[in-house]
Amino acid sequence: MKIVTIVGARPQFIKAAPVSKAIEKYNSETGNPKLTEIIVHTGQHFDADMSDIFFRELDIPEPDYNLDVNNSSHGAMTGRMLVKIEEVLIREKPDWALTYGDTNSTLAGALAAVKLYIPVAHVEAGLRSFNRKMPEEHNRVLTDHCSDILFCPTRTAIENLNREGISGKDSSSAAGGNRPLVALVGDVMYDSVLHNMEIAEKYSDILKKLNLKPKGYALATVHRAENTDQPERLKSILQGFEQIAQEGLQVIIPVHPRTRQSLKNSKFSIKNSKLNFIKPVSYLDMLLLEKSAQVILTDSGGVQKEAYWFEVPCITLRDETEWVETVDAGWNVVVGADHKKIVDAARFFKRPDHISDLYGDGHAGEKIVEILVNDGCLGFSNHCKTRNNY
Ligand code: UDP
């Protein structure tokens, strides 16, 4: 059984790692049928510190294909990916195309596959912000609606899909060709955190390098287009961070390439700032920075969940979030870009006293492989044939 995995952006490397590991484990323990994974890197993120380091640290097999598509508008990027992924799929003839998350690489991978009648599995399906101004929201909705297996991290994700009429129940209905399989497997990013935290504590020297004391700083990331591409929002967010720093809490900001560009274009003076801007850090360094932070301020999806898993208060710099469970649990407040709200949230955050298992048991990767083998192998090859004969 051949699976083509399509990734291209930082969070996708982190999400794909536990599944690649589970494929290796399956092959070494069972191996019947043997699973062959072909990894396609679209090139969406290409800097060494946004890509290579993640493959190395997370021990992900080298990509079999690097499509080198980046640095263009959404349409041009998605279009060029579509053309190049189609070529790979025609050559490899996989049984499955496996896509992750909500980037242009996700949508291009899913579209290229369905147009060749190759079944699509989507990991992190069903997430919704209900904000149609986010490019990610279109990528998610469209990918979910053409997927054959939807691997959901949470019950909320399943409910979101149900509301849109995607309510596949069992593999027999999926094999019939009309209904997809919707599976609650937990969150692959949780698998990654559980697997890597001990390694991070052993090997990362980031706290020493940056001269930070555990719980003595705030960690911040900003990269969503709604914040980086709207100068007023970015300015207000930075104003909030400056205020927090002036009140005595150091603010560490690993800067995403898109944000670096927006900062360059803005009049913001890094030199006169009290903020500590650093390059994007590796995954292991990031885990340690998150775990040791007093508070996290972010517009990242992944970082909101990681804050929750580390029981670190999270302030979300957006007007809504897909990860509503973290808000309901009291560990995340959504404040938008208003500097006053940002500062108040940091000052007055009330920590809940516990967390619960909202994102599975840390074995999402294995569950995904199990389902691909059991439901995807026999049922879906018929399904695939049906479609091919269409
Ligand atoms: N991350 C990292 N280094 C950084 C910033 C983030 O390793 O400098 C990790 C973070 O721990 C999380 C993932 O990248 O696992 C989140 O990716 P990102 O914020 O780019 O995307 P999103 O989750 O918003 O889609």
PDB file of all heavy atoms in Angstrom, residues 186-213:
ATOM      1  N   GLY A 186      -7.772  11.973  17.806  1.00  0.00           N
ATOM      2  CA  GLY A 186      -6.931  12.794  18.686  1.00  0.00           C
ATOM      3  C   GLY A 186      -5.986  13.645  17.847  1.00  0.00           C
ATOM      4  O   GLY A 186      -6.034  13.619  16.619  1.00  0.00           O
ATOM      5  N   ASP A 187      -5.134  14.380  18.547  1.00  0.00           N
ATOM      6  CA  ASP A 187      -4.318  15.381  17.874  1.00  0.00           C
ATOM      7  C   ASP A 187      -2.877  14.899  17.691  1.00  0.00           C
ATOM      8  O   ASP A 187      -2.202  14.592  18.680  1.00  0.00           O
ATOM      9  CB  ASP A 187      -4.333  16.671  18.712  1.00  0.00           C
ATOM     10  CG  ASP A 187      -3.875  17.862  17.912  1.00  0.00           C
ATOM     11  OD1 ASP A 187      -2.789  17.774  17.318  1.00  0.00           O
ATOM     12  OD2 ASP A 187      -4.603  18.866  17.875  1.00  0.00           O
ATOM     13  N   VAL A 188      -2.432  14.860  16.442  1.00  0.00           N
ATOM     14  CA  VAL A 188      -1.062  14.381  16.180  1.00  0.00           C
ATOM     15  C   VAL A 188      -0.015  15.294  16.825  1.00  0.00           C
ATOM     16  O   VAL A 188       1.084  14.856  17.156  1.00  0.00           O
ATOM     17  CB  VAL A 188      -0.773  14.248  14.665  1.00  0.00           C
ATOM     18  CG1 VAL A 188      -1.368  12.970  14.114  1.00  0.00           C
ATOM     19  CG2 VAL A 188      -1.228  15.465  13.892  1.00  0.00           C
ATOM     20  N   MET A 189      -0.359  16.580  17.033  1.00  0.00           N
ATOM     21  CA  MET A 189       0.614  17.482  17.665  1.00  0.00           C
ATOM     22  C   MET A 189       0.830  17.111  19.140  1.00  0.00           C
ATOM     23  O   MET A 189       1.881  17.371  19.708  1.00  0.00           O
ATOM     24  CB  MET A 189       0.175  18.940  17.543  1.00  0.00           C
ATOM     25  CG  MET A 189       0.251  19.434  16.106  1.00  0.00           C
ATOM     26  SD  MET A 189      -0.066  21.197  15.982  1.00  0.00           S
ATOM     27  CE  MET A 189       1.590  21.849  16.092  1.00  0.00           C
ATOM     28  N   TYR A 190      -0.192  16.520  19.732  1.00  0.00           N
ATOM     29  CA  TYR A 190      -0.051  16.046  21.117  1.00  0.00           C
ATOM     30  C   TYR A 190       0.917  14.853  21.153  1.00  0.00           C
ATOM     31  O   TYR A 190       1.777  14.771  22.030  1.00  0.00           O
ATOM     32  CB  TYR A 190      -1.432  15.668  21.674  1.00  0.00           C
ATOM     33  CG  TYR A 190      -1.448  15.332  23.140  1.00  0.00           C
ATOM     34  CD1 TYR A 190      -0.721  16.077  24.056  1.00  0.00           C
ATOM     35  CD2 TYR A 190      -2.213  14.268  23.618  1.00  0.00           C
ATOM     36  CE1 TYR A 190      -0.737  15.763  25.420  1.00  0.00           C
ATOM     37  CE2 TYR A 190      -2.249  13.955  24.965  1.00  0.00           C
ATOM     38  CZ  TYR A 190      -1.506  14.703  25.857  1.00  0.00           C
ATOM     39  OH  TYR A 190      -1.534  14.386  27.207  1.00  0.00           O
ATOM     40  N   ASP A 191       0.794  13.964  20.157  1.00  0.00           N
ATOM     41  CA  ASP A 191       1.762  12.852  20.041  1.00  0.00           C
ATOM     42  C   ASP A 191       3.172  13.425  20.016  1.00  0.00           C
ATOM     43  O   ASP A 191       4.074  12.948  20.692  1.00  0.00           O
ATOM     44  CB  ASP A 191       1.602  12.079  18.718  1.00  0.00           C
ATOM     45  CG  ASP A 191       0.276  11.375  18.553  1.00  0.00           C
ATOM     46  OD1 ASP A 191      -0.686  11.738  19.243  1.00  0.00           O
ATOM     47  OD2 ASP A 191       0.196  10.468  17.699  1.00  0.00           O
ATOM     48  N   SER A 192       3.357  14.468  19.198  1.00  0.00           N
ATOM     49  CA  SER A 192       4.686  15.058  19.004  1.00  0.00           C
ATOM     50  C   SER A 192       5.224  15.643  20.304  1.00  0.00           C
ATOM     51  O   SER A 192       6.393  15.457  20.637  1.00  0.00           O
ATOM     52  CB  SER A 192       4.614  16.177  17.956  1.00  0.00           C
ATOM     53  OG  SER A 192       5.164  15.742  16.762  1.00  0.00           O
ATOM     54  N   VAL A 193       4.359  16.349  21.021  1.00  0.00           N
ATOM     55  CA  VAL A 193       4.792  16.954  22.293  1.00  0.00           C
ATOM     56  C   VAL A 193       5.205  15.861  23.276  1.00  0.00           C
ATOM     57  O   VAL A 193       6.270  15.931  23.898  1.00  0.00           O
ATOM     58  CB  VAL A 193       3.668  17.839  22.881  1.00  0.00           C
ATOM     59  CG1 VAL A 193       3.926  18.158  24.341  1.00  0.00           C
ATOM     60  CG2 VAL A 193       3.561  19.133  22.095  1.00  0.00           C
ATOM     61  N   LEU A 194       4.370  14.823  23.402  1.00  0.00           N
ATOM     62  CA  LEU A 194       4.688  13.765  24.367  1.00  0.00           C
ATOM     63  C   LEU A 194       5.993  13.079  24.004  1.00  0.00           C
ATOM     64  O   LEU A 194       6.809  12.759  24.854  1.00  0.00           O
ATOM     65  CB  LEU A 194       3.550  12.734  24.414  1.00  0.00           C
ATOM     66  CG  LEU A 194       2.236  13.220  25.014  1.00  0.00           C
ATOM     67  CD1 LEU A 194       1.229  12.090  25.057  1.00  0.00           C
ATOM     68  CD2 LEU A 194       2.436  13.798  26.412  1.00  0.00           C
ATOM     69  N   HIS A 195       6.197  12.877  22.707  1.00  0.00           N
ATOM     70  CA  HIS A 195       7.394  12.158  22.267  1.00  0.00           C
ATOM     71  C   HIS A 195       8.661  13.000  22.435  1.00  0.00           C
ATOM     72  O   HIS A 195       9.735  12.465  22.702  1.00  0.00           O
ATOM     73  CB  HIS A 195       7.222  11.753  20.798  1.00  0.00           C
ATOM     74  CG  HIS A 195       8.358  10.950  20.274  1.00  0.00           C
ATOM     75  ND1 HIS A 195       8.477   9.611  20.526  1.00  0.00           N
ATOM     76  CD2 HIS A 195       9.441  11.311  19.548  1.00  0.00           C
ATOM     77  CE1 HIS A 195       9.593   9.175  19.975  1.00  0.00           C
ATOM     78  NE2 HIS A 195      10.198  10.185  19.370  1.00  0.00           N
ATOM     79  N   ASN A 196       8.524  14.314  22.259  1.00  0.00           N
ATOM     80  CA  ASN A 196       9.734  15.149  22.165  1.00  0.00           C
ATOM     81  C   ASN A 196      10.086  15.963  23.405  1.00  0.00           C
ATOM     82  O   ASN A 196      11.181  16.507  23.483  1.00  0.00           O
ATOM     83  CB  ASN A 196       9.606  16.102  20.970  1.00  0.00           C
ATOM     84  CG  ASN A 196       9.723  15.342  19.667  1.00  0.00           C
ATOM     85  OD1 ASN A 196      10.796  14.845  19.338  1.00  0.00           O
ATOM     86  ND2 ASN A 196       8.624  15.217  18.950  1.00  0.00           N
ATOM     87  N   MET A 197       9.153  16.036  24.378  1.00  0.00           N
ATOM     88  CA  MET A 197       9.431  16.947  25.493  1.00  0.00           C
ATOM     89  C   MET A 197      10.656  16.533  26.303  1.00  0.00           C
ATOM     90  O   MET A 197      11.504  17.357  26.637  1.00  0.00           O
ATOM     91  CB  MET A 197       8.189  17.041  26.391  1.00  0.00           C
ATOM     92  CG  MET A 197       8.271  18.202  27.338  1.00  0.00           C
ATOM     93  SD  MET A 197       8.605  19.759  26.460  1.00  0.00           S
ATOM     94  CE  MET A 197       9.892  20.467  27.463  1.00  0.00           C
ATOM     95  N   GLU A 198      10.742  15.221  26.566  1.00  0.00           N
ATOM     96  CA  GLU A 198      11.906  14.747  27.338  1.00  0.00           C
ATOM     97  C   GLU A 198      13.203  15.021  26.578  1.00  0.00           C
ATOM     98  O   GLU A 198      14.204  15.438  27.161  1.00  0.00           O
ATOM     99  CB  GLU A 198      11.793  13.243  27.562  1.00  0.00           C
ATOM    100  CG  GLU A 198      11.731  12.869  29.019  1.00  0.00           C
ATOM    101  CD  GLU A 198      11.503  11.382  29.173  1.00  0.00           C
ATOM    102  OE1 GLU A 198      12.441  10.608  28.916  1.00  0.00           O
ATOM    103  OE2 GLU A 198      10.361  11.019  29.514  1.00  0.00           O
ATOM    104  N   ILE A 199      13.156  14.796  25.277  1.00  0.00           N
ATOM    105  CA  ILE A 199      14.340  15.032  24.427  1.00  0.00           C
ATOM    106  C   ILE A 199      14.703  16.514  24.492  1.00  0.00           C
ATOM    107  O   ILE A 199      15.862  16.884  24.621  1.00  0.00           O
ATOM    108  CB  ILE A 199      14.061  14.604  22.958  1.00  0.00           C
ATOM    109  CG1 ILE A 199      13.557  13.168  22.915  1.00  0.00           C
ATOM    110  CG2 ILE A 199      15.292  14.786  22.074  1.00  0.00           C
ATOM    111  CD1 ILE A 199      13.139  12.664  21.553  1.00  0.00           C
ATOM    112  N   ALA A 200      13.689  17.371  24.444  1.00  0.00           N
ATOM    113  CA  ALA A 200      13.939  18.820  24.502  1.00  0.00           C
ATOM    114  C   ALA A 200      14.596  19.183  25.828  1.00  0.00           C
ATOM    115  O   ALA A 200      15.563  19.950  25.873  1.00  0.00           O
ATOM    116  CB  ALA A 200      12.627  19.588  24.329  1.00  0.00           C
ATOM    117  N   GLU A 201      14.067  18.612  26.918  1.00  0.00           N
ATOM    118  CA  GLU A 201      14.630  18.953  28.234  1.00  0.00           C
ATOM    119  C   GLU A 201      16.076  18.489  28.354  1.00  0.00           C
ATOM    120  O   GLU A 201      16.890  19.129  29.004  1.00  0.00           O
ATOM    121  CB  GLU A 201      13.757  18.380  29.343  1.00  0.00           C
ATOM    122  CG  GLU A 201      12.594  19.318  29.550  1.00  0.00           C
ATOM    123  CD  GLU A 201      11.596  18.904  30.604  1.00  0.00           C
ATOM    124  OE1 GLU A 201      11.362  17.690  30.746  1.00  0.00           O
ATOM    125  OE2 GLU A 201      11.039  19.808  31.240  1.00  0.00           O
ATOM    126  N   LYS A 202      16.381  17.405  27.679  1.00  0.00           N
ATOM    127  CA  LYS A 202      17.740  16.865  27.756  1.00  0.00           C
ATOM    128  C   LYS A 202      18.710  17.671  26.877  1.00  0.00           C
ATOM    129  O   LYS A 202      19.819  17.960  27.292  1.00  0.00           O
ATOM    130  CB  LYS A 202      17.685  15.412  27.265  1.00  0.00           C
ATOM    131  CG  LYS A 202      18.814  14.571  27.752  1.00  0.00           C
ATOM    132  CD  LYS A 202      18.462  13.108  27.583  1.00  0.00           C
ATOM    133  CE  LYS A 202      19.708  12.261  27.701  1.00  0.00           C
ATOM    134  NZ  LYS A 202      19.460  10.904  27.273  1.00  0.00           N
ATOM    135  N   TYR A 203      18.269  18.029  25.682  1.00  0.00           N
ATOM    136  CA  TYR A 203      19.240  18.564  24.714  1.00  0.00           C
ATOM    137  C   TYR A 203      19.164  20.075  24.451  1.00  0.00           C
ATOM    138  O   TYR A 203      20.127  20.655  23.979  1.00  0.00           O
ATOM    139  CB  TYR A 203      19.111  17.828  23.365  1.00  0.00           C
ATOM    140  CG  TYR A 203      19.520  16.386  23.488  1.00  0.00           C
ATOM    141  CD1 TYR A 203      18.578  15.370  23.460  1.00  0.00           C
ATOM    142  CD2 TYR A 203      20.862  16.041  23.668  1.00  0.00           C
ATOM    143  CE1 TYR A 203      18.946  14.041  23.604  1.00  0.00           C
ATOM    144  CE2 TYR A 203      21.244  14.708  23.808  1.00  0.00           C
ATOM    145  CZ  TYR A 203      20.278  13.719  23.770  1.00  0.00           C
ATOM    146  OH  TYR A 203      20.654  12.406  23.915  1.00  0.00           O
ATOM    147  N   SER A 204      18.025  20.695  24.715  1.00  0.00           N
ATOM    148  CA  SER A 204      17.939  22.113  24.341  1.00  0.00           C
ATOM    149  C   SER A 204      18.631  22.998  25.382  1.00  0.00           C
ATOM    150  O   SER A 204      18.408  22.862  26.589  1.00  0.00           O
ATOM    151  CB  SER A 204      16.465  22.537  24.221  1.00  0.00           C
ATOM    152  OG  SER A 204      16.407  23.945  24.119  1.00  0.00           O
ATOM    153  N   ASP A 205      19.454  23.905  24.874  1.00  0.00           N
ATOM    154  CA  ASP A 205      20.114  24.849  25.796  1.00  0.00           C
ATOM    155  C   ASP A 205      19.607  26.276  25.560  1.00  0.00           C
ATOM    156  O   ASP A 205      20.288  27.248  25.845  1.00  0.00           O
ATOM    157  CB  ASP A 205      21.634  24.792  25.614  1.00  0.00           C
ATOM    158  CG  ASP A 205      22.043  25.160  24.192  1.00  0.00           C
ATOM    159  OD1 ASP A 205      21.132  25.345  23.338  1.00  0.00           O
ATOM    160  OD2 ASP A 205      23.255  25.274  23.927  1.00  0.00           O
ATOM    161  N   ILE A 206      18.388  26.381  25.054  1.00  0.00           N
ATOM    162  CA  ILE A 206      17.869  27.687  24.641  1.00  0.00           C
ATOM    163  C   ILE A 206      17.709  28.647  25.825  1.00  0.00           C
ATOM    164  O   ILE A 206      17.950  29.850  25.698  1.00  0.00           O
ATOM    165  CB  ILE A 206      16.530  27.536  23.850  1.00  0.00           C
ATOM    166  CG1 ILE A 206      16.105  28.849  23.214  1.00  0.00           C
ATOM    167  CG2 ILE A 206      15.412  26.973  24.685  1.00  0.00           C
ATOM    168  CD1 ILE A 206      16.844  29.239  22.013  1.00  0.00           C
ATOM    169  N   LEU A 207      17.329  28.137  26.994  1.00  0.00           N
ATOM    170  CA  LEU A 207      17.140  29.044  28.136  1.00  0.00           C
ATOM    171  C   LEU A 207      18.476  29.666  28.528  1.00  0.00           C
ATOM    172  O   LEU A 207      18.567  30.865  28.795  1.00  0.00           O
ATOM    173  CB  LEU A 207      16.524  28.304  29.330  1.00  0.00           C
ATOM    174  CG  LEU A 207      15.125  27.707  29.123  1.00  0.00           C
ATOM    175  CD1 LEU A 207      14.598  27.125  30.424  1.00  0.00           C
ATOM    176  CD2 LEU A 207      14.145  28.735  28.589  1.00  0.00           C
ATOM    177  N   LYS A 208      19.506  28.807  28.507  1.00  0.00           N
ATOM    178  CA  LYS A 208      20.840  29.293  28.844  1.00  0.00           C
ATOM    179  C   LYS A 208      21.301  30.307  27.792  1.00  0.00           C
ATOM    180  O   LYS A 208      21.789  31.388  28.124  1.00  0.00           O
ATOM    181  CB  LYS A 208      21.803  28.097  28.880  1.00  0.00           C
ATOM    182  CG  LYS A 208      22.919  28.273  29.871  1.00  0.00           C
ATOM    183  CD  LYS A 208      23.548  26.927  30.161  1.00  0.00           C
ATOM    184  CE  LYS A 208      25.043  27.033  29.886  1.00  0.00           C
ATOM    185  NZ  LYS A 208      25.673  25.743  29.746  1.00  0.00           N
ATOM    186  N   LYS A 209      21.111  29.930  26.525  1.00  0.00           N
ATOM    187  CA  LYS A 209      21.555  30.795  25.424  1.00  0.00           C
ATOM    188  C   LYS A 209      20.938  32.176  25.514  1.00  0.00           C
ATOM    189  O   LYS A 209      21.575  33.185  25.252  1.00  0.00           O
ATOM    190  CB  LYS A 209      21.107  30.165  24.093  1.00  0.00           C
ATOM    191  CG  LYS A 209      22.233  29.601  23.274  1.00  0.00           C
ATOM    192  CD  LYS A 209      21.698  29.411  21.873  1.00  0.00           C
ATOM    193  CE  LYS A 209      22.361  28.277  21.158  1.00  0.00           C
ATOM    194  NZ  LYS A 209      21.510  27.691  20.135  1.00  0.00           N
ATOM    195  N   LEU A 210      19.650  32.223  25.868  1.00  0.00           N
ATOM    196  CA  LEU A 210      18.945  33.517  25.903  1.00  0.00           C
ATOM    197  C   LEU A 210      18.947  34.117  27.317  1.00  0.00           C
ATOM    198  O   LEU A 210      18.334  35.157  27.555  1.00  0.00           O
ATOM    199  CB  LEU A 210      17.501  33.351  25.423  1.00  0.00           C
ATOM    200  CG  LEU A 210      17.309  32.874  23.979  1.00  0.00           C
ATOM    201  CD1 LEU A 210      15.834  32.654  23.680  1.00  0.00           C
ATOM    202  CD2 LEU A 210      17.889  33.882  22.990  1.00  0.00           C
ATOM    203  N   ASN A 211      19.627  33.419  28.230  1.00  0.00           N
ATOM    204  CA  ASN A 211      19.734  33.899  29.599  1.00  0.00           C
ATOM    205  C   ASN A 211      18.353  34.106  30.246  1.00  0.00           C
ATOM    206  O   ASN A 211      18.048  35.175  30.780  1.00  0.00           O
ATOM    207  CB  ASN A 211      20.549  35.201  29.593  1.00  0.00           C
ATOM    208  CG  ASN A 211      21.072  35.530  30.961  1.00  0.00           C
ATOM    209  OD1 ASN A 211      21.075  34.657  31.830  1.00  0.00           O
ATOM    210  ND2 ASN A 211      21.477  36.774  31.171  1.00  0.00           N
ATOM    211  N   LEU A 212      17.534  33.059  30.158  1.00  0.00           N
ATOM    212  CA  LEU A 212      16.156  33.161  30.663  1.00  0.00           C
ATOM    213  C   LEU A 212      15.965  32.286  31.895  1.00  0.00           C
ATOM    214  O   LEU A 212      16.513  31.181  31.958  1.00  0.00           O
ATOM    215  CB  LEU A 212      15.176  32.690  29.590  1.00  0.00           C
ATOM    216  CG  LEU A 212      15.133  33.497  28.301  1.00  0.00           C
ATOM    217  CD1 LEU A 212      14.256  32.796  27.269  1.00  0.00           C
ATOM    218  CD2 LEU A 212      14.609  34.902  28.580  1.00  0.00           C
ATOM    219  N   LYS A 213      15.165  32.782  32.808  1.00  0.00           N
ATOM    220  CA  LYS A 213      14.827  31.983  33.996  1.00  0.00           C
ATOM    221  C   LYS A 213      13.452  31.356  33.777  1.00  0.00           C
ATOM    222  O   LYS A 213      12.535  32.048  33.312  1.00  0.00           O
ATOM    223  CB  LYS A 213      14.747  32.884  35.229  1.00  0.00           C
ATOM    224  CG  LYS A 213      16.089  33.380  35.674  1.00  0.00           C
ATOM    225  CD  LYS A 213      16.072  33.685  37.184  1.00  0.00           C
ATOM    226  CE  LYS A 213      17.445  34.037  37.656  1.00  0.00           C
ATOM    227  NZ  LYS A 213      17.986  35.254  37.008  1.00  0.00           N
TER     228      LYS A 213
END
